[in-house]
Amino acid sequence: MKNLRNSFTEDDFPKKELPVTHKDEFLEKLGNIPSAKKYNYRFMKIAAVFVLLVGLAFVFVQQNATDDEEEVNAVQITKELKKVETEYLANIDTEWKNFLAVATDEKLIRRYKQKLTQLDADYKQISKEFKADKNNLFVVEDLIRNLQTRLSLLKDIQEHIKILNAKKDQNETTI
């Protein structure tokens, strides 16, 4: 094996002197080379700001749409609840008047009136909770359940009165 350093001599590669104008020629040729495209960072900044603004606008619109949707839902729930409440209260009032027209037992009237008063107080408390949080469906269900309980109680009273009247009529006919 031959050492590569020893295989070449200085005679094989004679030293050349560079011309005095070599540096100028090099710089001139370097200036003539087409340079790679420089990025326009100003354009990139404008594009980034535009994308950011569009994104923020989208988020803002979505947030407002969600808020508006929740508000519309709350208004619809309130309207529906008012409608149901009006219907139930009218039925409760009718049943109570019918009961008072037929009932003769003051103790029975007082007992049922006390139950209805308690249910009415509960209803007012639940109504306050509903006004505080109109999107809470559990509160809405409690309001409706309270009205249904009152109406059911009055219908039970009516059934009780009918049974008492039937027994009274039966007793009179047997005598």
Side-chain angles (χ1 to χ4, degrees):
M1 287 257 211
K2 247 180 156 184
N3 191 348
L4 284 175
R5 284 184 234 152
N6 298 332
S7 34
F8 298 103
T9 63
E10 286 186 25
D11 295 334
D12 292 335
F13 298 101
K15 286 191 176 185
K16 263 186 166 181
E17 287 290 324
L18 295 175
V20 180
T21 60
H22 175 71
K23 185 178 179 182
D24 295 331
E25 289 173 5
F26 176 75
L27 291 175
E28 184 181 326
K29 286 181 181 179
L30 189 60
N32 291 336
I33 296 175
S35 63
K37 274 191 174 178
K38 293 182 181 179
Y39 288 105
N40 190 352
Y41 290 108
R42 185 173 182 211
F43 174 73
M44 296 288 278
K45 289 177 184 178
I46 292 171
V49 169
F50 178 73
V51 168
L52 182 66
L53 288 176
V54 168
L56 288 175
F58 180 74
V59 168
F60 182 73
V61 168
Q62 288 293 351
Q63 182 67 28
N64 283 346
T66 304
D67 292 346
D68 292 345
E69 186 177 304
E70 287 176 2
E71 194 173 306
V72 168
N73 286 341
V75 169
Q76 288 175 342
I77 289 172
T78 305
K79 285 181 182 178
E80 289 294 321
L81 182 65
K82 205 48 124 168
K83 183 179 170 184
V84 169
E85 178 184 30
T86 303
E87 183 180 326
Y88 270 99
L89 288 177
N91 287 333
I92 289 168
D93 190 46
T94 302
E95 291 294 329
W96 181 249
K97 287 179 182 175
N98 290 341
F99 168 69
L100 290 178
V102 177
T104 55
D105 187 2
E106 288 296 321
K107 192 174 184 181
L108 183 68
I109 293 172
R110 227 177 308 119
R111 186 171 48 145
Y112 282 122
K113 186 171 186 167
Q114 184 180 14
K115 285 182 181 180
L116 286 173
T117 304
Q118 179 60 42
L119 284 169
D120 188 49
D122 291 345
Y123 184 81
K124 287 178 182 175
Q125 178 62 34
I126 297 169
S127 291
K128 287 180 185 176
E129 291 176 24
F130 176 71
K131 288 177 184 173
D133 184 12
K134 293 186 179 192
N135 288 329
N136 191 342
L137 292 178
F138 295 116
V139 175
V140 174
E141 289 173 355
D142 287 345
L143 285 170
I144 293 172
R145 198 174 304 116
N146 181 283
L147 291 170
Q148 288 173 336
T149 304
R150 284 198 265 175
L151 188 58
S152 170
L153 179 66
L154 288 170
K155 287 185 178 183
D156 290 344
I157 292 170
Q158 288 297 344
E159 289 300 316
H160 184 72
I161 295 293
K162 286 179 186 176
I163 291 170
L164 288 178
N165 285 342
K167 285 183 181 178
K168 185 178 178 183
D169 289 342
Q170 194 177 38
N171 287 341
E172 286 179 2
T173 54
T174 26
I175 293 179

